[in-house]
Amino acid sequence: MKQLFIIHGYQAGVQSHWFQWLSDKMKPYGYNTNIVYLPNSKNPSFDDWQNALKENLTGNLNQNTVIVAHSLGVITTLNYLSKINNMPLIKGLFLISGFIDKLENLPELDDFIEQCEINPNKIHSRHIYSIAAIHDPIVNITASNQVSQCFGIRTHSINHVGHFLDNEGYKTFNELFEQILKII
């Protein structure tokens, strides 16, 4: 089964930003989409978010799976995938404004981030793609570059001032969609 999982981030939800737009764009290509609900996104609990991923992703990953994660959803997803014994090979992993270390401007997430343990060697995806805005005031591009370095890839930088949020005009995300089309 062709499955797209979209994993939102801090202070976001399933109806935020470009998530539903991407879901709709993938339907003609035969993809069922699950925009995973992560509870209490304004004050996220590490355990609750890991359990939400477990409930939604366990048994649903295969060679046709594409995962798109945004912001805090990136480190959350990478932690979850790192814990899977014998993770199956998935088609694609798209990391948007990702980070794997504490962010100076968001100390309220320090406890959450400290609980994450990322092991790139346990994450199996045919394609891994990192996207970051050149001028992101929430997740600096250097943090996204650090994620990319873990996987031996380069960050695709977009000339944008922001964090790819709907209030910045990101109700659609054509750059991401075009990259997904290249691998499906």
Side-chain angles (χ1 to χ4, degrees), residues 161-181:
V161 177
H163 194 59
F164 305 116
L165 307 176
D166 52 5
N167 64 6
E168 303 162 355
Y170 266 82
K171 295 182 189 308
T172 65
F173 202 160
N174 285 310
E175 299 94 338
L176 169 60
F177 180 60
E178 290 168 6
Q179 296 309 315
I180 294 172
L181 287 183

Side-chain angles (χ1 to χ4, degrees), residues 18-147:
W18 36 266
F19 306 147
Q20 189 58 54
W21 172 85
L22 182 59
S23 174
D24 293 342
K25 293 292 279 187
M26 293 299 290
K27 285 179 186 171
Y29 299 92
Y31 274 82
N32 293 318
T33 301
N34 180 352
I35 306 172
V36 177
Y37 170 73
L38 301 172
N40 198 14
S41 71
K42 293 189 186 320
N43 186 21
S45 157
F46 175 81
D47 290 334
D48 290 348
W49 279 32
Q50 289 301 300
N51 287 334
L53 289 184
K54 183 177 181 179
E55 290 171 14
N56 286 276
L57 274 63
T58 300
N60 292 317
L61 303 178
N62 62 48
Q63 70 274 7
N64 292 312
T65 301
V66 174
I67 299 174
V68 174
H70 180 243
S71 194
L72 187 61
V74 170
I75 191 170
T76 303
T77 301
L78 295 176
N79 179 80
Y80 172 77
L81 296 176
S82 294
K83 303 291 188 235
I84 298 174
N85 288 325
N86 301 315
M87 178 190 165
L89 180 67
I90 63 172
K91 184 174 288 269
L93 181 58
F94 292 82
L95 310 172
I96 314 304
S97 300
F99 59 92
I100 54 174
D101 281 324
K102 295 178 191 175
L103 301 171
E104 287 181 14
N105 57 322
L106 293 172
E108 64 270 28
L109 297 179
D110 286 357
D111 182 58
F112 188 106
I113 294 165
E114 287 173 354
Q115 295 179 70
C116 293
E117 297 177 10
I118 312 303
N119 183 346
N121 296 322
K122 293 192 75 182
I123 298 172
H124 307 294
S125 180
R126 280 194 294 228
H127 306 277
I128 300 177
Y129 203 80
S130 175
I131 297 176
I134 292 174
H135 303 287
D136 187 331
I138 298 170
V139 177
N140 189 288
I141 194 167
T142 58
S144 294
N145 287 339
Q146 185 181 17
V147 174

